[in-house]
Amino acid sequence: MTESQERWERRTDTPLAVASLLFLTGYAVRVLAPGLPDTWRLLCTAVILASWAFFAVDYAVQLRLSGQGLRFLRSHWLDTLVLLLPLLRPLRIVRRYEAVRRRRARPRLSLYARVIVYAGLTVGLLGFTAALTVYHVEHGAPGASIRTFGDAVWWTCATLATVGYGDVTPVTGLGRLTAVGVMACGLGLLGAATGSFSSWLIQTFAWEDEKRPPES
């Protein structure tokens, strides 16, 4: 990553997080309040499109600053995924986890704890997003068992926890595709949290061994 690209990421990290929350808010209002006046629905749509445009501008700037051309698509696949669906921005925790894991300085529990907390918040945000999506595509489908938003939340919690009671299940193609993504995200984020703690323990023991004076 170039220096100019790092500066750009530092400057846009918070605005992009806000844009992601605005995107989620606009989408949630449209899904959960279908009886809104047309003016409010148009406002929500404008917020969604504006947030999406902000992510597109960020992606274009990063592509130009990287100087990699089409190789940028392969090396920054996560940014490409976030561009397609800004609600997946919390998955950028993968980068933070990798950066912490590669540290060679004295391990600090606060850094790993930050990753664990961020992973927990990410699970909650992605779970809410998945519940919205599944409810949106399922509640009116023929033969659907997910009829209310509460059903969707219950299904999401069971799927993220990899429990899978099977009392409510998606029947549409998009709903099942969402289920696959929820399962993958649940396993991945749980792995990031437990992996961070394990990595901290391993690095702590290794650092103490390196600092221990050699035995005579």
Side-chain angles (χ1 to χ4, degrees), residues 97 109 112-113 116 191-204:
Y97 172 65
L109 180 59
Y112 293 93
I116 294 172
T194 56
S196 292
F197 183 70
S198 300
S199 181
W200 171 75
L201 288 176
I202 292 171
Q203 289 193 19
T204 298

Side-chain angles (χ1 to χ4, degrees), residues 38 69 83 105:
D38 291 341
L83 173 64

Side-chain angles (χ1 to χ4, degrees), residues 23-154:
F23 187 99
L24 175 60
T25 301
Y27 179 57
V29 171
R30 284 188 61 89
V31 171
L32 298 178
L36 278 177
D38 291 341
T39 303
W40 285 101
R41 291 180 64 83
L42 287 174
L43 178 60
C44 290
T45 302
V47 169
I48 292 172
L49 294 177
S51 302
W52 214 329
F54 190 23
F55 276 89
V57 170
D58 171 71
Y59 189 85
V61 171
Q62 288 205 53
L63 175 62
R64 183 176 182 277
L65 293 177
S66 68
Q68 294 179 334
L70 294 179
R71 288 180 302 168
F72 180 86
L73 304 180
R74 184 172 61 254
S75 60
H76 291 74
W77 61 270
L78 189 56
D79 292 308
T80 306
L81 191 61
V82 170
L83 173 64
L84 297 176
L85 187 58
L87 295 176
L88 296 179
R89 178 173 170 77
L91 290 179
R92 286 166 64 97
I93 187 179
V94 174
R95 279 188 182 179
R96 299 194 179 192
Y97 172 65
E98 289 297 323
V100 169
R101 194 171 59 86
R102 289 194 299 266
R103 287 177 58 90
R104 292 292 181 266
R106 179 175 181 175
R108 289 187 296 167
L109 180 59
S110 59
L111 292 175
Y112 293 93
R114 200 175 305 166
V115 172
I116 294 172
V117 170
Y118 194 76
L121 294 175
T122 299
V123 168
L125 183 57
L126 287 178
F128 179 66
T129 302
L132 279 175
T133 303
V134 168
Y135 171 69
H136 187 199
V137 300
E138 290 286 325
H139 74 281
S145 58
I146 301 176
R147 292 292 185 180
T148 66
F149 184 63
D151 292 337
V153 171
W154 167 249

